[in-house]
Amino acid sequence: MSNRNMSSGLIATTSKHTVQYYELVYIGVNGGYYITNAPFDIDYEGYKYLMAGALLSVDNIVEDIGFEIQKLSIGVSGLAYLNDDSLPFMQEILGVDYIDKDVTISRAYYTNDVYQGGLEVYKGFIDSAAVTDGIGNGGAVSITTSSHWSNFARVTGRYTNLSSQQSYFPSDMGFEFSKEIQKSIEWKL
């Protein structure tokens, strides 16, 4: 991980053999969900990340110099009630338009349970959400995201609708029903 304008104290903390940190996950749906895998609530950059045990898993975040579109999966308890919702998270997220909503993952670093600093480690958009069977643990929601670089290779001026497609390929009816699809389809030329 590069130093990313980290303070000297945070650089020293992350350079140790044993590093204590917690994931802080923002999911930009329904006004925003702020959750953490810490055993306590964390206030970070003006927001309170809830420790409700709702954050079950986060895939490893891989950094490299390539421009690959990194996919990342986040597991959230489907039975948790977050943000004073009237329904469990499973029903809340699947009942709203979640495609292309923001997801940000930050890390809060600690030394002997004393906060040392934090930084953003991932920014992306929701691709899909699916209910998974938690056999014995209740249900969970698996949220799949794409890195914020996912739009980097997009060709500007092209749209996934019938009129744009027919301007390039007049007899092509492949996008006749595209207005019924929530997520844009990426086509490579």
Short mmCIF file of all heavy atoms in Angstrom, two decimals, residues 119-163:
data_model
loop_
_atom_site.label_atom_id
_atom_site.label_comp_id
_atom_site.label_asym_id
_atom_site.label_seq_id
_atom_site.Cartn_x
_atom_site.Cartn_y
_atom_site.Cartn_z
N LEU A 119 -7.79 5.69 6.61
CA LEU A 119 -7.68 6.08 5.21
C LEU A 119 -8.61 5.25 4.35
O LEU A 119 -9.01 4.14 4.71
CB LEU A 119 -6.24 5.94 4.71
CG LEU A 119 -5.65 4.54 4.67
CD1 LEU A 119 -5.24 4.21 3.24
CD2 LEU A 119 -4.44 4.50 5.57
N GLU A 120 -8.98 5.82 3.21
CA GLU A 120 -9.83 5.13 2.25
C GLU A 120 -8.99 4.14 1.47
O GLU A 120 -7.91 4.48 0.98
CB GLU A 120 -10.45 6.16 1.30
CG GLU A 120 -11.37 5.58 0.28
CD GLU A 120 -11.96 6.66 -0.62
OE1 GLU A 120 -12.74 7.50 -0.12
OE2 GLU A 120 -11.62 6.67 -1.82
N VAL A 121 -9.48 2.89 1.34
CA VAL A 121 -8.73 1.87 0.63
C VAL A 121 -9.46 1.34 -0.61
O VAL A 121 -8.87 0.64 -1.42
CB VAL A 121 -8.36 0.69 1.56
CG1 VAL A 121 -7.37 1.14 2.62
CG2 VAL A 121 -9.58 0.05 2.18
N TYR A 122 -10.74 1.66 -0.76
CA TYR A 122 -11.49 1.16 -1.92
C TYR A 122 -12.69 2.07 -2.16
O TYR A 122 -13.36 2.53 -1.22
CB TYR A 122 -11.99 -0.26 -1.65
CG TYR A 122 -12.80 -0.85 -2.79
CD1 TYR A 122 -12.20 -1.44 -3.89
CD2 TYR A 122 -14.20 -0.81 -2.75
CE1 TYR A 122 -12.95 -1.98 -4.92
CE2 TYR A 122 -14.95 -1.34 -3.78
CZ TYR A 122 -14.32 -1.92 -4.87
OH TYR A 122 -15.07 -2.45 -5.88
N LYS A 123 -12.94 2.33 -3.42
CA LYS A 123 -14.13 3.08 -3.82
C LYS A 123 -14.70 2.38 -5.04
O LYS A 123 -13.96 2.05 -5.97
CB LYS A 123 -13.77 4.53 -4.13
CG LYS A 123 -14.96 5.43 -4.29
CD LYS A 123 -14.48 6.87 -4.37
CE LYS A 123 -15.64 7.81 -4.27
NZ LYS A 123 -16.01 8.14 -2.93
N GLY A 124 -16.00 2.15 -5.03
CA GLY A 124 -16.60 1.45 -6.16
C GLY A 124 -18.10 1.67 -6.22
O GLY A 124 -18.65 2.54 -5.54
N PHE A 125 -18.73 0.85 -7.04
CA PHE A 125 -20.17 0.93 -7.28
C PHE A 125 -20.78 -0.45 -7.17
O PHE A 125 -20.15 -1.44 -7.53
CB PHE A 125 -20.45 1.50 -8.68
CG PHE A 125 -19.79 2.82 -8.93
CD1 PHE A 125 -18.64 2.89 -9.70
CD2 PHE A 125 -20.30 3.97 -8.39
CE1 PHE A 125 -18.01 4.09 -9.92
CE2 PHE A 125 -19.68 5.20 -8.61
CZ PHE A 125 -18.53 5.26 -9.38
N ILE A 126 -22.01 -0.52 -6.70
CA ILE A 126 -22.69 -1.80 -6.56
C ILE A 126 -23.10 -2.33 -7.93
O ILE A 126 -23.72 -1.63 -8.71
CB ILE A 126 -23.94 -1.67 -5.66
CG1 ILE A 126 -23.55 -1.25 -4.25
CG2 ILE A 126 -24.73 -2.99 -5.63
CD1 ILE A 126 -24.74 -0.98 -3.33
N ASP A 127 -22.72 -3.59 -8.20
CA ASP A 127 -23.14 -4.28 -9.42
C ASP A 127 -24.38 -5.11 -9.17
O ASP A 127 -25.29 -5.15 -9.97
CB ASP A 127 -22.04 -5.23 -9.92
CG ASP A 127 -20.87 -4.50 -10.53
OD1 ASP A 127 -21.05 -3.38 -11.02
OD2 ASP A 127 -19.76 -5.05 -10.50
N SER A 128 -24.37 -5.84 -8.03
CA SER A 128 -25.50 -6.72 -7.74
C SER A 128 -25.56 -6.99 -6.25
O SER A 128 -24.60 -6.77 -5.51
CB SER A 128 -25.35 -8.05 -8.50
OG SER A 128 -24.20 -8.75 -8.04
N ALA A 129 -26.71 -7.47 -5.83
CA ALA A 129 -26.91 -7.90 -4.44
C ALA A 129 -27.74 -9.17 -4.49
O ALA A 129 -28.70 -9.26 -5.26
CB ALA A 129 -27.61 -6.83 -3.63
N ALA A 130 -27.35 -10.15 -3.69
CA ALA A 130 -28.07 -11.42 -3.70
C ALA A 130 -28.16 -11.96 -2.28
O ALA A 130 -27.23 -11.79 -1.48
CB ALA A 130 -27.36 -12.43 -4.59
N VAL A 131 -29.26 -12.60 -1.99
CA VAL A 131 -29.44 -13.23 -0.69
C VAL A 131 -28.72 -14.56 -0.70
O VAL A 131 -28.82 -15.33 -1.66
CB VAL A 131 -30.95 -13.43 -0.40
CG1 VAL A 131 -31.14 -14.20 0.90
CG2 VAL A 131 -31.65 -12.09 -0.34
N THR A 132 -27.95 -14.82 0.36
CA THR A 132 -27.27 -16.10 0.49
C THR A 132 -27.79 -16.81 1.73
O THR A 132 -28.20 -16.16 2.69
CB THR A 132 -25.74 -15.91 0.61
OG1 THR A 132 -25.46 -15.13 1.77
CG2 THR A 132 -25.18 -15.24 -0.62
N ASP A 133 -27.78 -18.11 1.68
CA ASP A 133 -28.27 -18.90 2.80
C ASP A 133 -27.18 -18.99 3.85
O ASP A 133 -26.08 -19.45 3.58
CB ASP A 133 -28.66 -20.30 2.32
CG ASP A 133 -29.25 -21.14 3.42
OD1 ASP A 133 -29.57 -20.59 4.49
OD2 ASP A 133 -29.40 -22.35 3.22
N GLY A 134 -27.49 -18.56 5.04
CA GLY A 134 -26.50 -18.56 6.11
C GLY A 134 -26.56 -19.80 6.97
O GLY A 134 -26.07 -19.77 8.08
N ILE A 135 -27.12 -20.86 6.52
CA ILE A 135 -27.29 -22.14 7.23
C ILE A 135 -26.89 -22.05 8.71
O ILE A 135 -25.73 -22.01 9.07
CB ILE A 135 -26.49 -23.26 6.53
CG1 ILE A 135 -26.97 -23.38 5.09
CG2 ILE A 135 -26.65 -24.57 7.28
CD1 ILE A 135 -26.23 -24.38 4.26
N GLY A 136 -27.88 -21.96 9.55
CA GLY A 136 -27.66 -21.90 10.98
C GLY A 136 -27.39 -20.50 11.51
O GLY A 136 -27.52 -20.25 12.69
N ASN A 137 -27.00 -19.59 10.65
CA ASN A 137 -26.69 -18.23 11.09
C ASN A 137 -27.69 -17.22 10.56
O ASN A 137 -27.50 -16.03 10.70
CB ASN A 137 -25.29 -17.82 10.61
CG ASN A 137 -24.22 -18.71 11.14
OD1 ASN A 137 -24.31 -19.17 12.27
ND2 ASN A 137 -23.21 -19.00 10.34
N GLY A 138 -28.74 -17.66 9.91
CA GLY A 138 -29.66 -16.73 9.28
C GLY A 138 -29.16 -16.36 7.90
O GLY A 138 -28.13 -16.84 7.45
N GLY A 139 -29.89 -15.50 7.23
CA GLY A 139 -29.53 -15.12 5.88
C GLY A 139 -28.53 -13.98 5.85
O GLY A 139 -28.31 -13.29 6.83
N ALA A 140 -27.92 -13.80 4.70
CA ALA A 140 -26.97 -12.71 4.50
C ALA A 140 -27.21 -12.14 3.10
O ALA A 140 -27.87 -12.76 2.27
CB ALA A 140 -25.54 -13.20 4.64
N VAL A 141 -26.68 -10.96 2.88
CA VAL A 141 -26.74 -10.33 1.56
C VAL A 141 -25.31 -10.21 1.07
O VAL A 141 -24.45 -9.67 1.77
CB VAL A 141 -27.41 -8.95 1.62
CG1 VAL A 141 -27.39 -8.28 0.26
CG2 VAL A 141 -28.83 -9.06 2.14
N SER A 142 -25.05 -10.73 -0.11
CA SER A 142 -23.74 -10.60 -0.74
C SER A 142 -23.84 -9.48 -1.76
O SER A 142 -24.62 -9.56 -2.71
CB SER A 142 -23.35 -11.91 -1.42
OG SER A 142 -22.11 -11.75 -2.07
N ILE A 143 -23.06 -8.43 -1.54
CA ILE A 143 -23.06 -7.28 -2.43
C ILE A 143 -21.79 -7.33 -3.28
O ILE A 143 -20.68 -7.36 -2.74
CB ILE A 143 -23.10 -5.96 -1.63
CG1 ILE A 143 -24.38 -5.91 -0.80
CG2 ILE A 143 -22.99 -4.76 -2.56
CD1 ILE A 143 -24.42 -4.76 0.18
N THR A 144 -21.93 -7.38 -4.59
CA THR A 144 -20.79 -7.39 -5.50
C THR A 144 -20.60 -5.99 -6.04
O THR A 144 -21.56 -5.35 -6.48
CB THR A 144 -21.02 -8.38 -6.66
OG1 THR A 144 -21.27 -9.67 -6.10
CG2 THR A 144 -19.80 -8.46 -7.55
N THR A 145 -19.35 -5.52 -6.00
CA THR A 145 -19.05 -4.17 -6.46
C THR A 145 -17.97 -4.20 -7.53
O THR A 145 -17.24 -5.17 -7.67
CB THR A 145 -18.55 -3.30 -5.29
OG1 THR A 145 -17.26 -3.77 -4.88
CG2 THR A 145 -19.50 -3.32 -4.12
N SER A 146 -17.89 -3.12 -8.29
CA SER A 146 -16.80 -2.90 -9.23
C SER A 146 -16.07 -1.65 -8.79
O SER A 146 -16.68 -0.70 -8.32
CB SER A 146 -17.32 -2.66 -10.64
OG SER A 146 -17.85 -3.84 -11.19
N SER A 147 -14.77 -1.65 -8.98
CA SER A 147 -13.94 -0.51 -8.63
C SER A 147 -14.44 0.75 -9.34
O SER A 147 -15.05 0.68 -10.41
CB SER A 147 -12.50 -0.79 -9.04
OG SER A 147 -11.74 0.39 -9.06
N HIS A 148 -14.15 1.90 -8.76
CA HIS A 148 -14.54 3.16 -9.40
C HIS A 148 -13.83 3.37 -10.74
O HIS A 148 -14.19 4.24 -11.51
CB HIS A 148 -14.31 4.35 -8.46
CG HIS A 148 -12.87 4.67 -8.21
ND1 HIS A 148 -12.07 3.90 -7.39
CD2 HIS A 148 -12.09 5.67 -8.66
CE1 HIS A 148 -10.87 4.42 -7.35
NE2 HIS A 148 -10.84 5.49 -8.11
N TRP A 149 -12.85 2.54 -11.05
CA TRP A 149 -12.20 2.58 -12.36
C TRP A 149 -13.02 1.86 -13.43
O TRP A 149 -12.63 1.81 -14.59
CB TRP A 149 -10.81 1.94 -12.29
CG TRP A 149 -9.84 2.75 -11.49
CD1 TRP A 149 -9.40 2.47 -10.24
CD2 TRP A 149 -9.21 3.96 -11.88
NE1 TRP A 149 -8.52 3.44 -9.82
CE2 TRP A 149 -8.39 4.37 -10.82
CE3 TRP A 149 -9.26 4.76 -13.02
CZ2 TRP A 149 -7.64 5.54 -10.87
CZ3 TRP A 149 -8.50 5.91 -13.06
CH2 TRP A 149 -7.71 6.29 -12.00
N SER A 150 -14.16 1.30 -13.05
CA SER A 150 -14.94 0.52 -14.01
C SER A 150 -15.42 1.34 -15.19
O SER A 150 -15.67 0.81 -16.26
CB SER A 150 -16.14 -0.16 -13.33
OG SER A 150 -17.02 0.81 -12.80
N ASN A 151 -15.53 2.66 -15.06
CA ASN A 151 -15.94 3.51 -16.17
C ASN A 151 -14.74 4.06 -16.94
O ASN A 151 -14.90 4.81 -17.88
CB ASN A 151 -16.79 4.68 -15.66
CG ASN A 151 -18.16 4.22 -15.23
OD1 ASN A 151 -18.66 3.22 -15.72
ND2 ASN A 151 -18.75 4.93 -14.31
N PHE A 152 -13.52 3.70 -16.55
CA PHE A 152 -12.31 4.24 -17.15
C PHE A 152 -12.21 3.93 -18.64
O PHE A 152 -11.83 4.76 -19.44
CB PHE A 152 -11.08 3.69 -16.42
CG PHE A 152 -9.79 4.27 -16.88
CD1 PHE A 152 -9.43 5.56 -16.53
CD2 PHE A 152 -8.93 3.53 -17.66
CE1 PHE A 152 -8.24 6.10 -16.95
CE2 PHE A 152 -7.72 4.05 -18.09
CZ PHE A 152 -7.38 5.35 -17.74
N ALA A 153 -12.58 2.71 -19.03
CA ALA A 153 -12.43 2.29 -20.42
C ALA A 153 -13.69 2.51 -21.25
O ALA A 153 -13.75 2.12 -22.40
CB ALA A 153 -12.04 0.81 -20.47
N ARG A 154 -14.69 3.15 -20.69
CA ARG A 154 -15.95 3.34 -21.41
C ARG A 154 -15.77 4.29 -22.59
O ARG A 154 -15.10 5.30 -22.49
CB ARG A 154 -17.01 3.90 -20.46
CG ARG A 154 -18.35 4.07 -21.13
CD ARG A 154 -19.42 4.46 -20.16
NE ARG A 154 -19.08 5.74 -19.55
CZ ARG A 154 -19.81 6.30 -18.62
NH1 ARG A 154 -20.86 5.69 -18.16
NH2 ARG A 154 -19.46 7.46 -18.11
N VAL A 155 -16.35 3.94 -23.71
CA VAL A 155 -16.32 4.79 -24.89
C VAL A 155 -17.38 5.87 -24.72
O VAL A 155 -18.56 5.57 -24.53
CB VAL A 155 -16.60 3.96 -26.17
CG1 VAL A 155 -16.63 4.85 -27.39
CG2 VAL A 155 -15.57 2.85 -26.32
N THR A 156 -16.97 7.13 -24.76
CA THR A 156 -17.94 8.21 -24.57
C THR A 156 -18.80 8.38 -25.81
O THR A 156 -18.38 8.07 -26.93
CB THR A 156 -17.22 9.54 -24.27
OG1 THR A 156 -16.35 9.84 -25.35
CG2 THR A 156 -16.44 9.46 -22.98
N GLY A 157 -19.98 8.85 -25.62
CA GLY A 157 -20.89 9.10 -26.73
C GLY A 157 -21.70 7.90 -27.16
O GLY A 157 -22.55 8.01 -28.05
N ARG A 158 -21.46 6.74 -26.57
CA ARG A 158 -22.23 5.55 -26.91
C ARG A 158 -23.19 5.25 -25.78
O ARG A 158 -22.83 5.33 -24.61
CB ARG A 158 -21.31 4.33 -27.09
CG ARG A 158 -20.38 4.38 -28.27
CD ARG A 158 -21.07 4.23 -29.62
NE ARG A 158 -21.88 3.05 -29.74
CZ ARG A 158 -21.49 1.90 -30.27
NH1 ARG A 158 -20.27 1.77 -30.70
NH2 ARG A 158 -22.31 0.89 -30.36
N TYR A 159 -24.39 4.91 -26.11
CA TYR A 159 -25.40 4.59 -25.12
C TYR A 159 -25.95 3.19 -25.41
O TYR A 159 -25.94 2.74 -26.55
CB TYR A 159 -26.54 5.61 -25.15
CG TYR A 159 -26.06 7.00 -24.82
CD1 TYR A 159 -25.73 7.89 -25.84
CD2 TYR A 159 -25.90 7.40 -23.51
CE1 TYR A 159 -25.28 9.16 -25.53
CE2 TYR A 159 -25.45 8.66 -23.20
CZ TYR A 159 -25.14 9.54 -24.22
OH TYR A 159 -24.68 10.79 -23.91
N THR A 160 -26.43 2.55 -24.38
CA THR A 160 -27.01 1.22 -24.56
C THR A 160 -28.52 1.37 -24.77
O THR A 160 -29.31 0.95 -23.93
CB THR A 160 -26.69 0.32 -23.36
OG1 THR A 160 -27.06 1.01 -22.17
CG2 THR A 160 -25.23 -0.05 -23.31
N ASN A 161 -28.86 2.00 -25.87
CA ASN A 161 -30.28 2.09 -26.25
C ASN A 161 -30.39 1.85 -27.76
O ASN A 161 -29.40 1.84 -28.49
CB ASN A 161 -30.88 3.44 -25.83
CG ASN A 161 -30.21 4.62 -26.49
OD1 ASN A 161 -29.82 4.58 -27.65
ND2 ASN A 161 -30.06 5.69 -25.73
N LEU A 162 -31.60 1.63 -28.19
CA LEU A 162 -31.83 1.24 -29.59
C LEU A 162 -31.37 2.30 -30.58
O LEU A 162 -30.69 1.99 -31.56
CB LEU A 162 -33.31 0.91 -29.80
CG LEU A 162 -33.69 0.39 -31.18
CD1 LEU A 162 -32.95 -0.91 -31.48
CD2 LEU A 162 -35.19 0.19 -31.28
N SER A 163 -31.67 3.57 -30.33
CA SER A 163 -31.33 4.60 -31.31
C SER A 163 -29.81 4.78 -31.44
O SER A 163 -29.29 4.96 -32.55
CB SER A 163 -31.99 5.94 -30.96
OG SER A 163 -31.58 6.38 -29.69
#
